[in-house]
Amino acid sequence: MIGIGIVGAAGRMGRAIAAELSGRDDARVTATAERGGDLDALARGANVLIDFSSPDALPAVLDAARGAAVPVVIGTTGLSAAEHEAIDAAAREIAVLQAANMSLGVNLLAALVREAAARLGPGWDIEIAEMHHRHKVDAPSGTALLLGEAAAAGRGITLAGHSERGRDGIGETRAEGAIGFASLRGGSVAGDHLVVLAGEGERIELGHRAESRAIFARGAVQAALWLHGKAPGRYSMNDVLGL
Ligand code: NAD
């Protein structure tokens, strides 16, 4: 029985992970933490940490995991380049799995997008649209960026150099080879993503709809079980899912 410590336990995902764990016999919640909680104590009492909170929690979460030498699954999105570097640094000492989306479907979709972008070439325009619930704080979603990275990798370009976000006004025609993003917010949507590859006279649409947060919670628990006992390093859901 693997003991899981949840960071961000009172949030939408924290509650979904606790619900997932309550129905399993291979892992259980040992402790939970919220903003202001004792992360060192949480880490000492757990075999693996799962963090779905906010980017500002990341330094303390990584320090606590290192201090207790426990692996950590990071599902929080909206991470900066400096925060990704902090994950890389921690991964030299402990096993860290960071994924902007924990679902099998989205990670498979990313592989399909990469393949499509590689085969179709730069004459096809790529646009990524996403919709999430009204409370989401980061835009574009971490999953939209994950899909954008997959498209860029397929094309052999960097997303940072080709991303187009937030078009508004006159003179906003897309640059050749750009990967565009559009974000919709409203209601209780768990997460919809659509990747459009638009050529002259035809278009391909590859999409995913999350019907509930349970898919992310299940993936996060699967990732935690997989990560337990792994050597230090940075891992992704592709490693867990064998994609
Ligand atoms: P939420 O706002 O409902 O919950 C976040 C919780 O974290 C809150 O209870 C908040 O009090 C707590 N928190 C914030 N800062 C903290 C800190 N410093 N220390 C401890 N706790 C802290 O948000 P949510 O919808 O549950 O999403 C949480 C994160 O997970 C977001 O970044 C979201 O984009 C991401 N997310 C990732 C996936 C995935 O599959 N990787 C799926 C869904 C959501």
Side-chain angles (χ1 to χ4, degrees):
M1 182 72 103
I2 302 294
I4 308 278
I6 305 174
V7 184
R12 284 172 284 264
M13 278 306 301
R15 283 177 279 133
I17 290 162
E20 165 69 19
L21 286 168
S22 71
R24 299 184 66 121
D25 54 15
D26 51 357
R28 68 186 175 92
V29 183
T30 48
T32 62
E34 258 297 318
R35 196 179 281 283
D38 184 347
L39 295 179
D40 293 325
L42 177 83
R44 280 196 302 274
N47 301 116
V48 186
L49 296 185
I50 299 182
D51 170 27
F52 282 75
S53 58
S54 70
D56 65 38
L58 189 72
V61 170
L62 293 176
D63 282 353
R66 271 158 134 157
V70 294
V72 56
V73 173
I74 297 168
T76 302
T77 62
L79 301 175
S80 66
E83 286 157 347
H84 278 287
E85 282 169 22
I87 292 174
D88 289 336
R92 290 195 274 276
E93 292 173 39
I94 54 170
V96 185
L97 187 149
Q98 180 271 325
N101 193 298
M102 302 280 171
S103 82
L104 168 62
V106 158
N107 286 283
L108 180 62
L109 174 63
L112 297 175
V113 167
R114 181 180 176 140
E115 173 79 5
R119 285 179 180 259
L120 293 171
W124 289 63
D125 300 327
I126 302 178
E127 296 279 312
I128 301 173
E130 49 105 347
M131 180 159 187
H132 283 82
H133 56 89
R134 61 169 71 97
H135 303 289
K136 186 164 179 61
V137 292
D138 53 316
S141 69
T143 301
L145 295 172
L146 179 161
L147 295 169
E149 292 285 2
R155 282 213 169 145
I157 58 173
T158 63
L159 181 62
H162 295 83
S163 162
E164 275 187 8
R165 302 187 190 182
R167 301 185 189 106
D168 181 23
I170 311 295
E172 291 283 323
T173 47
R174 74 189 324 280
E176 201 180 327
I179 297 173
F181 292 88
S183 298
L184 284 70
R185 294 288 175 266
S188 56
V189 181
D192 290 352
H193 292 85
L194 180 68
V195 179
V196 181
L197 298 110
E200 280 295 330
E202 59 181 330
R203 103 188 152 253
I204 294 171
E205 298 181 350
L206 298 171
H208 179 269
R209 289 176 196 269
E211 293 173 4
S212 90
R213 289 182 182 83
I215 57 168
F216 310 130
R218 203 177 310 133
V221 171
Q222 195 182 345
L225 291 168
W226 182 89
L227 202 58
H228 181 58
K230 285 284 180 301
R234 182 165 178 165
Y235 301 95
S236 75
M237 280 310 281
N238 285 352
D239 299 311
V240 180
L241 299 169
L243 292 173

